[in-house]
Amino acid sequence: MSDTERPLDRQTALITGGAGGLGSRVAATLAERGVKVVLADLNSHALERASEVLRKEVPTGTFVGVQIDVTDSSAVRTAVEATVADHGSLDILVTSHGFPKDGRLLEMSDDAWSDVVNVCLTGTFVCVREAARPMVEQSYGRIITVASRAWHGNPGQANYSAAKAGVIGLTRSVAKELGRYSITANSIAPGLIETPSLRNLERFEQIAERARKDNSIKRLGEPNDVAAAVRYLASPDAGFVTGEVLHVSGGRFG
Ligand SMILES: NC(=O)c1ccc[n+]([C@@H]2O[C@H](COP(=O)([O-])OP(=O)(O)OC[C@H]3O[C@@H](n4cnc5c(N)ncnc54)[C@H](O)[C@@H]3O)[C@@H](O)[C@H]2O)c1
């Protein structure tokens, strides 16, 4: 099936970390274009809140919340199967789950390493693998993984940087492997984007000031900046774009 035969208003998206700052903004943007949205997140209260806000913001939208841990393969598989059963297809996967657990290398515990790698990298692998099953069957899919500019390496973020670099390697491999099924796979590498979880960090002002200084565009990113990049990669216009890393970082990369 070609891209033009599958308009956005007949598509369904699964967004992991869908209750989060970026995930819920992506959900609104896709829903405004008619995409049915399944929000998957570990945090059930945040899911309820996000769904409520989204239904008010985009009254024409379809939003379904599903509570899952992305590292739980069978839960992810069930969520994918339920999405296809309820909505007819799964066309777009956006992986926007995850968190940093920063620390200098010499003080970084095994747990801080494995927590971040398990959720950010292994969780993305599980979601991509499970979502790819129906996409291969229908010969269509858009896989969009949210990495980070930290994939280039960042002091104090050995775990997070390694996981996000892994997400990019995973995505580019999938792009090469599944292109024959008209499935594209691309990563978005945001710089500092002002989401509520970021604003809650004790060091937020310090981090923000540094980003404003180092960005070539002198502001912080907004969730809409990332949502617009997702909208493009999910659109028919991006049908020949795969294996790319789209930095949404105001010129702060590397
Ligand atoms: N905000 C930024 O500046 C920024 C920059 C670069 C990359 N990112 C990446 O973008 C993504 C979204 O970030 P955000 O700012 O929206 O953060 P956020 O904390 O608002 O959202 C992340 C969501 O992931 C969910 N989550 C965590 N562990 C999970 C698990 N095991 N299973 C399912 N869901 C889980 C959380 O409940 C949360 O709702 C993350 O991958 C983050 O690393 C964010």
Side-chain angles (χ1 to χ4, degrees), residues 185-200:
N186 293 285
S187 293
I188 293 177
L192 204 65
I193 311 290
E194 197 169 350
T195 55
S197 63
L198 194 87
R199 267 199 307 271
N200 286 341

Side-chain angles (χ1 to χ4, degrees), residues 233-244:
L233 290 172
S235 76
D237 293 338
F240 201 54
V241 177
T242 195
E244 295 296 337

Side-chain angles (χ1 to χ4, degrees), residues 26-191:
V26 167
T29 299
L30 291 179
E32 277 160 6
R33 271 136 197 96
V35 177
K36 288 172 267 177
V37 175
V38 178
L39 306 161
D41 205 289
L42 187 62
N43 184 333
S44 53
H45 297 298
L47 261 180
E48 271 167 39
R49 270 200 314 274
S51 306
E52 211 179 290
V53 170
L54 284 165
R55 285 186 194 114
K56 281 193 189 132
E57 203 180 327
V58 190
T60 53
T62 302
F63 301 100
V64 177
V66 51
Q67 198 244 333
I68 50 165
D69 181 339
V70 291
T71 63
D72 179 343
S73 312
S74 62
V76 174
R77 186 178 289 207
T78 303
V80 166
E81 286 172 354
T83 301
V84 175
D86 295 347
H87 302 293
S89 62
L90 170 57
D91 310 282
I92 303 165
L93 171 71
V94 183
T95 59
S96 187
H97 59 265
F99 48 79
K101 267 196 187 174
D102 296 354
R104 293 283 162 178
L105 180 68
L106 300 188
E107 282 86 45
M108 188 172 282
S109 65
D110 292 355
D111 283 349
W113 172 268
S114 54
D115 287 355
V116 170
V117 171
N118 283 346
V119 173
C120 290
L121 178 55
T122 308
T124 302
F125 159 69
V126 168
C127 293
V128 168
R129 184 187 61 192
E130 296 309 321
R133 296 186 201 281
M135 289 179 179
V136 166
E137 257 178 52
Q138 72 197 13
S139 277
Y140 183 86
R142 295 296 168 87
I143 293 169
I144 301 162
T145 57
V146 180
S148 165
R149 67 167 278 277
W151 80 276
H152 294 281
N154 223 13
Q157 291 198 310
N159 48 1
Y160 186 72
S161 296
K164 293 299 192 177
V167 165
I168 288 171
L170 159 70
T171 307
R172 289 170 63 101
S173 300
V174 171
K176 290 193 171 182
E177 200 173 312
L178 300 188
R180 75 182 74 170
Y181 302 105
S182 299
I183 296 170
T184 66
N186 293 285
S187 293
I188 293 177

Side-chain angles (χ1 to χ4, degrees), residues 222-251:
E222 294 165 9
N224 269 332
D225 294 316
V226 172
V230 171
R231 187 175 69 215
Y232 166 64
L233 290 172
S235 76
D237 293 338
F240 201 54
V241 177
T242 195
E244 295 296 337
V245 182
L246 181 49
H247 288 87
V248 181
S249 65

